[in-house]
């Protein structure tokens, strides 16, 4: 779902690419959990980015943990979830990713070209990038984090 009438109908109760029949499966469920990691760690008295799930390669290796995978977005989503609830906070981050990607790309192109029309066109292309849209629906974490991609280039450009 998540287009047209369904966007409004399911916004408070379902997550993007979620199944509306009540079944829960797929990466988007794992990313919902990762986005809300800070909230539930604070509620349970853990440090904000504690992750009790680890992946061990062998007995001598340190566990690989998904603590800061979605930082800073997981912190923002978790804080928003205290106010709006888990699903609405997650869906707001989904929608906010369009704005954040557009702004970061617009800023980069405007700094380089000083042309607002070029910056607008580039940001629209970046917001609608098929790779980003796919990862918004498949695994929301990566689709949201892509708004950070133009920033290192921007900061390098400003530093030089």
């Amino acid at each position: 779902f998540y287009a047209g009438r369904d966007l409004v109908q399911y916004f408070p109760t379902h997550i993007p690419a979620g199944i509306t029949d009540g079944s829960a499966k797929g990466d988007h469920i794992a990313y919902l959990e990762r986005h809300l990691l800070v909230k539930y760690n604070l509620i349970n008295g853990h440090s904000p980015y504690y992750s009790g799930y680890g992946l061990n390669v062998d007995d001598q290796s340190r566990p690989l943990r998904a603590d800061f995978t979605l930082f800073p977005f997981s912190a923002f989503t978790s804080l928003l979830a205290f106010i709006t609830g888990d699903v609405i906070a997650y869906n707001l981050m989904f929608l906010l990713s369009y704005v954040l990607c557009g702004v970061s790309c617009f800023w980069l192109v405007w700094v380089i070209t000083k042309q607002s029309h070029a910056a607008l066109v580039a940001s629209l292309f970046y917001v609608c990038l098929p790779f980003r849209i796919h990862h918004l629906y498949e695994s929301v974490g990566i689709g949201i984090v892509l708004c950070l991609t133009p920033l290192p280039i921007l900061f390098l450009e400003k530093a030089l």
Side-chain angles (χ1 to χ4, degrees):
F1 79 95
Y2 236 81
R5 183 175 47 94
D6 288 344
L7 172 67
V8 177
Q9 180 180 356
Y10 294 116
F11 190 83
T13 57
H14 293 76
I15 63 174
I19 311 298
T20 56
D21 67 1
S23 62
K25 51 191 167 192
D27 285 346
H28 50 280
I29 301 298
Y31 276 97
L32 172 65
E33 181 181 22
R34 286 183 182 165
H35 270 275
L36 299 170
L37 181 68
V38 173
K39 176 185 176 185
Y40 287 102
N41 278 339
L42 292 175
I43 289 171
N44 293 319
H46 298 295
S47 64
Y49 281 93
Y50 167 76
S51 176
Y53 302 107
L55 305 171
N56 292 337
V57 178
D58 59 34
D59 291 338
Q60 274 74 46
S61 67
R62 293 181 55 203
L64 172 64
R65 299 196 189 279
D67 298 339
F68 287 97
T69 306
L70 300 173
F71 180 80
F73 304 103
S74 56
F76 184 72
T77 305
S78 289
L79 294 176
L80 194 57
F82 279 114
I83 300 166
T84 64
D86 295 350
V87 173
I88 292 176
Y90 186 76
N91 288 340
L92 286 173
M93 282 305 297
F94 177 88
L95 294 177
L96 188 60
S97 75
Y98 286 94
V99 175
L100 294 173
C101 283
V103 168
S104 67
C105 186
F106 184 92
W107 190 17
L108 169 65
V109 175
W110 188 84
V111 164
I112 293 171
T113 66
K114 301 291 190 249
Q115 295 181 4
S116 58
H117 290 90
L120 180 63
V121 170
S123 64
L124 288 174
F125 276 117
Y126 190 66
V127 164
C128 298
L129 190 68
F131 177 82
R132 193 186 91 74
I133 301 297
H134 166 75
H135 283 288
L136 267 176
Y137 285 92
E138 182 63 28
S139 53
V140 175
I142 297 168
I144 290 174
V145 171
L146 284 174
C147 74
L148 298 175
T149 306
L151 298 181
I153 302 166
L154 171 69
F155 297 145
L156 180 65
E157 177 67 27
K158 290 184 86 53
L160 300 175

